[in-house]
Each structure stands twice: as structure tokens, then as C-alpha cells.
Amino acid sequence: MEYEDYQVEDIDNGIDGLELIRKNDFDLVLCDIKMNRMDGMEVLTEGLLIKPDLPFIMISGHGTVETAVEASKKGAFDFISKPPDLNRLLITVRNALDRGSLVTEAKVLKRKVSKVRPILGNSQSIVKIKETIERVAPTDARVLITGANGSGKELVARWLHEKSNRVNAPLIEVNCAAIPSELIESELFGHEKGSFTSAVKQRIGKFESANGGTLFLDEIGDMSQSAQAKVLRALQESKITRVGGEKEIEVDVRVVAATNKDLLKEIEDGNFRMDLYHRLSVILIHVPPLTERRDDIPLITQNFLEEICTEYGMPVKRFSEPAMEALKALPWSGNIRELRNMVERLIILSDKVITDGDVKAFANPSAPATITAATAVAEPKTDFEQFKNFQEYKDFAEREYIKFKLEKNNWNVSKTADDIDIQRSHLYSKIEKYGLKRGE
């Protein structure tokens, strides 16, 4: 191996080998199966717990198909019999190192794609949540996150995983409210082939998929009673049984749960198990609604503004001071999710500077129906039946939009072209195409 320019550390027993794996960042391990003080299979199991992505190539002079299969099941990259063919050994080493590089690269890309957003805000409640995450994340304590819809419970769960020692293992999310009650057990614990009518093949459940990582159970308050009992057992014993199966499977999973319901009231009503509640709520984190932290709205809005404008490839727009105050005054029943949708709507429908008039005109559906007498004018409804195809409707919408902007700017073509971000010559072409005339 050294002749091929690899740097090699060698050790003659498994226990010292594991200590080296803990202290160093090796790219590959060649491991004999028969060794002093610790069997090679034990070293493989323990080594992958320490460094889950570290490729192991197992070597044995007593190689059998059964041994090779067992090594593969335990996570070995490959199995080579003694005496090793040197060419095959070198090819296997190169393949294992390439695979290790790909795994690392995939994790980096996945981290970039996942875009775990920062938790924005300087209010006392948000500062407290951030401090709690810093304290709790490195432990394996179970966390129950409560809060209204759209308040950011999922973001808190993601940061608990990101800051934990399980960050290199998967974060598996399950929306308990979105899965029919008769399928939730199969979804969480998996099923064996033939365990029910549509079980045409074996399926791995979310608990097994999250092994070594974090399982996020969103909307836990909507889980059926039978599933609650199984989840309780899984938390108590760290073991699960697939639907239709008999074998117990050990799982190492940290469970983070979230709900928008009052679980104590659900317990009183007999809809939720008290023992499960106490298992889940070792740490309680409450995410406040947006109306309780209105001073954070400008910071969150600016972040969404830059992010959405960048996604659309357009210059970043600006909120006027009155517009920001108008945003802060809205009821925000949909919380952060509603705010983001509102900002996106304003970016699309407003000019370069977003005014308080724009906020009132395009206010979110949860805002009061009567804001002012001026904005209470009913808009005529469009008869969609008049359009033969999508292109006809697009032309109609474009014509009405350009007409509205021209009238707003008193038919100043240069200003209108600047407002809607197209060339003046292009706007003249549109005016001619649609036969638009001043004062019609």
C-alpha cells in the first residue's frame, strides 16, 4: 500500500484499532476477521458507530460465503479472502476511497440544498429558543415543540438535529396528520411482505430509516391510539416490530415531536396517552405566534425579500416605512408561513418600492375584510369561460396589467417600463399589440 503512495497505520488488535479510528480521520480500514482481544466483526460494528461513513474492507483466511454476507450486512464495503490478489486488493481500495469521497460530497451538497434557514429574530422568546437549542441539541433528550401552524416548529426541529451529534445521520420527518390512521403504523415501523392485502413487498419504516439519527414526528397530536402505544414501546425499549413481523429490531433514534394542539386538553378528552406525553416532553419548547413578536417582522421580511428576489432573478425591492408598519399591524393567523407568502405576493404585484397602499391592497386573506372604505371597492370577477386556451388568458392578464400600470403612471411610458422592469421599446410593442389607448 505504501508503494502505491498510501499513508498506512497498522495495529495488531481491534481495541487499539478502534482507538486510532476515534482519534484520526482515516479514509479506509483494512480489517482482519480473526484478531487478538476483539473479533473483526465486532471491530466493524463498533467502528461504524464511531465513523458511520468509514469504508471497511474485511480480510480473512477462513472466508466463506456466509462470512462475506454477514460482513456486508454489518456494513462492510467488501470482503477479500487470504491470500489476497494484490491487483484485486488495489482496485477494491480505490473503489472504496472513491465511494467515501462521493458520500462526503453528497453530504455537503445535501446540506447546501436543504438550506436550513436561520432562526430570525431578536425578541426575548426567540433568544430563549436559540439558547435552549444550544443546550439541548448535543444531548439525546426528547423534545416536544408546541406552537401554532406556520410558526416555525419544523425549523426548530431541524436546528436541534443540525446542532446535535447526529448531524451526519439522517433527519427523517413524518407528518402524522397527513397519513391515514390505518397506515401510520406501517409508515413508522414498516411491514413484512403479505402482512396485509397491499403489502406486496417488505417495507422499512421511518424508525429504521432514522437509525442513528433523528425522527421528527410532526402533528403528533393527530396520531391514532394504537400507533401511540407502539411509539411508546419503541421509546421505552428502543426496539420496534414491523407490522406482520415477529422479530424485534433495535433502533437508536432521537425523537423530536411537534404539535399545534393542547396535548393536556387532548389527554383530558381521552385522545392522547399521558404516558406518551411524558416520554416525549423531556424538554418543552414553545414557538410563539408572530403576533407576540411583531418587532421581529422587519428582520424576517427583509430576509424573505432578498431571498425571493434572488430566486426570481430580479433587483431587490424595498419596503417603505409605512408599509413595514402596515405589515406589523396585520393579524398574521398563518404566522411565518403566511408572512413569506405575503412578501412573495407583494414582490410580484408591487413596484420597486412597496408602499402601505400595496400592503392594504394585497393584504393576506386573514386580514379584516374592511380595512378602509377606499379599499373596500369590489373588483369585477373574471369570466374564465370566455378563454378558449391558456394563451388567450395570458394575453388578457398581460393586457390588463400593462393598462393598470400605464394609468397608474399617467401614461408615462418611460416610468411604466422602469416600474415593470422591461425595455421601453418592448412596452411600446405591447401597447400596439393590445391596442391600448389613453383614456379608453
Side-chain angles (χ1 to χ4, degrees):
M1 299 306 297
E2 288 175 343
Y3 181 76
E4 291 288 326
D5 292 330
Y6 293 110
Q7 291 182 339
V8 181
E9 292 273 355
D10 64 285
I11 206 80
D12 66 353
N13 68 85
I15 292 173
D16 292 343
L18 287 173
E19 196 56 37
L20 280 177
I21 289 170
R22 281 191 186 90
K23 291 179 178 177
N24 300 284
D25 288 325
F26 290 110
D27 298 309
L28 175 69
V29 174
L30 294 167
C31 183
D32 206 340
I33 287 187
K34 300 293 181 186
M35 287 190 298
N36 297 327
R37 300 174 66 188
M38 184 181 273
D39 179 75
M41 290 297 191
E42 292 178 72
V43 175
L44 171 63
T45 304
E46 292 293 321
L48 290 178
L49 286 175
I50 299 166
K51 300 279 177 67
D53 297 327
L54 185 58
F56 271 76
I57 297 174
M58 307 304 290
I59 303 174
S60 177
H62 310 279
T64 63
V65 173
E66 288 78 12
T67 315
V69 168
E70 186 188 351
S72 296
K73 281 183 176 179
K74 287 181 179 289
F77 177 79
D78 207 344
F79 180 91
I80 294 178
S81 299
K82 291 182 183 176
D85 176 84
L86 294 184
N87 285 325
R88 191 198 159 192
L89 177 63
L90 286 173
I91 290 168
T92 305
V93 165
R94 285 177 194 140
N95 289 342
L97 292 173
D98 286 344
R99 182 248 189 189
S101 300
L102 287 170
V103 167
T104 304
E105 190 177 324
K107 284 195 170 181
V108 170
L109 291 172
K110 196 173 182 182
R111 189 76 58 82
K112 285 181 180 177
V113 170
S114 71
K115 292 181 180 176
V116 180
R117 303 172 186 276
I119 298 175
L120 298 170
N122 299 313
S123 58
Q124 189 176 349
S125 55
I126 293 302
V127 170
K128 186 179 177 183
I129 287 172
K130 290 178 184 176
E131 288 174 354
T132 305
I133 289 171
E134 291 290 339
R135 285 174 176 269
V136 173
T139 72
D140 275 342
R142 299 184 196 103
V143 182
L144 178 62
I145 307 164
T146 60
N149 281 332
S151 56
K153 299 188 294 295
E154 182 183 337
L155 186 58
V156 172
R158 286 181 175 275
W159 275 111
L160 283 166
H161 179 72
E162 284 290 314
K163 298 268 186 180
S164 75
N165 301 325
R166 298 170 177 262
V167 64
N168 294 321
L171 167 65
I172 303 295
E173 300 177 30
V174 182
N175 188 327
C176 302
I179 303 166
S181 56
E182 63 271 15
L183 296 178
I184 187 74
E185 290 180 44
S186 169
E187 189 75 18
L188 290 175
F189 308 108
H191 61 247
E192 298 292 351
K193 181 179 177 181
S195 56
F196 49 87
T197 307
S198 58
V200 293
K201 62 179 181 180
Q202 185 190 68
R203 176 176 180 170
I204 302 298
K206 300 298 187 184
F207 265 89
E208 281 183 85
S209 300
N211 197 25
T214 306
L215 180 64
F216 176 45
L217 299 175
D218 199 6
E219 305 301 352
I220 188 81
D222 293 287
M223 185 180 284
S224 67
Q225 290 275 2
S226 59
Q228 287 177 36
K230 280 200 169 185
V231 169
L232 179 64
R233 179 178 176 273
L235 296 181
Q236 285 172 334
E237 302 177 15
S238 297
K239 292 177 182 176
I240 58 138
T241 306
R242 295 186 192 130
V243 175
E246 297 178 0
K247 179 184 172 185
E248 288 189 332
I249 301 162
E250 288 193 14
V251 286
D252 170 27
V253 173
R254 182 197 196 170
V255 172
V256 175
T259 182
N260 62 353
K261 293 186 174 182
D262 181 349
L263 288 188
L264 293 176
K265 187 176 185 303
E266 292 295 310
I267 291 167
E268 281 181 22
D269 296 341
N271 298 325
F272 202 81
R273 296 178 63 115
M274 183 177 284
D275 45 5
L276 178 57
Y277 172 78
H278 290 304
R279 284 278 171 184
L280 291 171
S281 59
V282 176
I283 303 293
L284 272 168
I285 296 178
H286 177 68
V287 185
L290 196 54
T291 50
E292 290 182 13
R293 54 186 190 106
R294 292 185 187 274
D295 289 342
D296 287 338
I297 287 176
L299 179 62
I300 300 168
T301 300
Q302 185 60 34
N303 183 268
F304 285 152
L305 189 71
E306 293 171 7
E307 180 185 294
I308 294 166
C309 285
T310 302
E311 284 176 8
Y312 285 164
M314 62 168 66
V316 177
K317 295 188 177 185
R318 183 172 66 82
F319 274 86
S320 68
E321 286 293 326
M324 195 62 76
E325 290 303 315
L327 273 183
K328 289 168 72 174
L330 290 170
W332 299 120
S333 61
N335 294 293
I336 307 293
R337 190 181 297 133
E338 187 180 19
L339 175 58
R340 192 187 194 284
N341 291 343
M342 177 67 165
V343 172
E344 187 170 3
R345 189 183 308 137
L346 287 166
I347 288 169
I348 294 168
L349 298 175
S350 304
D351 297 331
K352 287 183 177 179
V353 177
I354 299 167
T355 66
D356 57 331
D358 293 325
V359 173
K360 290 173 183 176
F362 308 122
N364 48 358
S366 67
T370 54
I371 300 171
T372 63
T375 58
V377 180
E379 294 183 8
K381 291 185 177 180
T382 303
D383 177 16
F384 292 103
E385 292 292 339
Q386 66 180 300
F387 307 112
K388 293 177 184 175
N389 53 50
F390 186 48
Q391 186 58 50
E392 274 195 16
Y393 174 70
K394 283 204 299 183
D395 289 343
F396 167 80
E398 188 174 65
R399 182 185 190 279
E400 292 301 304
Y401 176 71
I402 290 171
K403 181 183 173 186
F404 169 77
K405 287 293 186 181
L406 283 166
E407 289 173 353
K408 184 178 178 182
N409 290 311
N410 200 26
W411 272 80
N412 184 325
V413 177
S414 296
K415 189 173 186 308
T416 304
D418 193 41
D419 275 352
I420 64 177
D421 203 21
I422 66 171
Q423 293 181 3
R424 190 169 55 174
S425 59
H426 193 187
L427 180 55
Y428 275 119
S429 299
K430 295 286 184 185
I431 293 169
E432 187 177 346
K433 175 183 176 182
Y434 297 124
L436 294 172
K437 293 178 183 176
R438 187 170 191 165
E440 68 172 2

